[in-house]
Amino acid sequence: MKRDSRLSSVLHALLHMAERGEPLTSEHLAECMGTNPVVVRRTMGLLRNVGLVQSAKGHAGGWSLATDLKAVTLRQLHEALGEPAVFAIGNRNENPDCLVEQSVNAVLDEAFAEAEALLLDRFGAITLADLSAEFSRRHTAHVKERKRNAS
């Protein structure tokens, strides 16, 4: 089953935008993300609709952040993307009159709902600033390691 990686892709794009501090074209973001510029425009359009990014046309145009990194949570981004399913696991519904199937589905539905609520709560506690700080930490460690290996 194919996984929905749009949240991960959006986070990737937004961190590139934050690091550059200038508008980035759909083509540039598509290259960074290994996708098509049309996919970038469609996805960024969803974020623009909720005020998270903005776009400008022309020579110096492109996509840029419209809000502070500290103000954007993973949950907001998940919601902006249309709240895709967080789990690829689903119920069997081949015989809805079967009491066994009904029992299994009821228990699974409850477990899925609880797990999704926990995950979405956690998404609500993680900001783009948190991800940016994690990137900065890793980048600094990477640079130090390269310098140490070059010596």
Side-chain angles (χ1 to χ4, degrees):
M1 178 171 285
K2 187 172 185 213
R3 293 181 184 248
D4 187 328
S5 61
R6 289 180 302 158
L7 179 60
S8 179
S9 293
V10 161
L11 294 170
H12 190 119
L14 295 175
L15 288 179
H16 273 286
M17 291 163 61
E19 287 300 310
R20 288 290 292 269
E22 63 186 19
L24 298 178
T25 65
S26 298
E27 290 74 18
H28 179 87
L29 289 169
E31 190 175 307
C32 292
M33 298 163 47
T35 191
N36 187 296
V38 173
V39 173
V40 171
R41 285 189 285 277
R42 187 179 309 128
T43 304
M44 289 294 136
L46 295 171
L47 301 184
R48 181 182 51 210
N49 291 344
V50 295
L52 298 176
V53 299
Q54 56 196 6
S55 63
K57 295 181 180 182
H59 176 65
W63 297 98
S64 58
L65 293 168
T67 188
D68 187 281
L69 295 179
K70 293 177 186 172
V72 182
T73 67
L74 272 62
R75 184 166 187 161
Q76 288 172 294
L77 294 167
H78 172 74
E79 291 168 357
L81 295 172
E83 300 184 81
V86 295
F87 298 112
I89 303 169
N91 288 335
R92 174 187 148 111
N93 290 303
E94 295 174 18
N95 190 358
D97 294 329
C98 175
L99 296 178
V100 170
E101 186 171 291
Q102 291 173 15
S103 300
V104 168
N105 289 350
V107 170
L108 287 177
D109 283 343
E110 184 178 336
F112 293 152
E114 288 175 17
E116 185 171 354
L118 285 171
L119 181 60
L120 293 176
D121 283 347
R122 181 70 180 119
F123 278 4
I126 301 170
T127 67
L128 285 178
D130 296 329
L131 293 176
S132 182
E134 175 66 12
F135 166 72
S136 293
R137 183 190 67 74
R138 288 174 181 266
H139 183 263
T140 300
H142 177 74
V143 169
K144 285 181 182 176
E145 180 69 22
R146 285 180 53 193
K147 284 181 181 179
R148 188 171 55 240
N149 288 338
S151 301

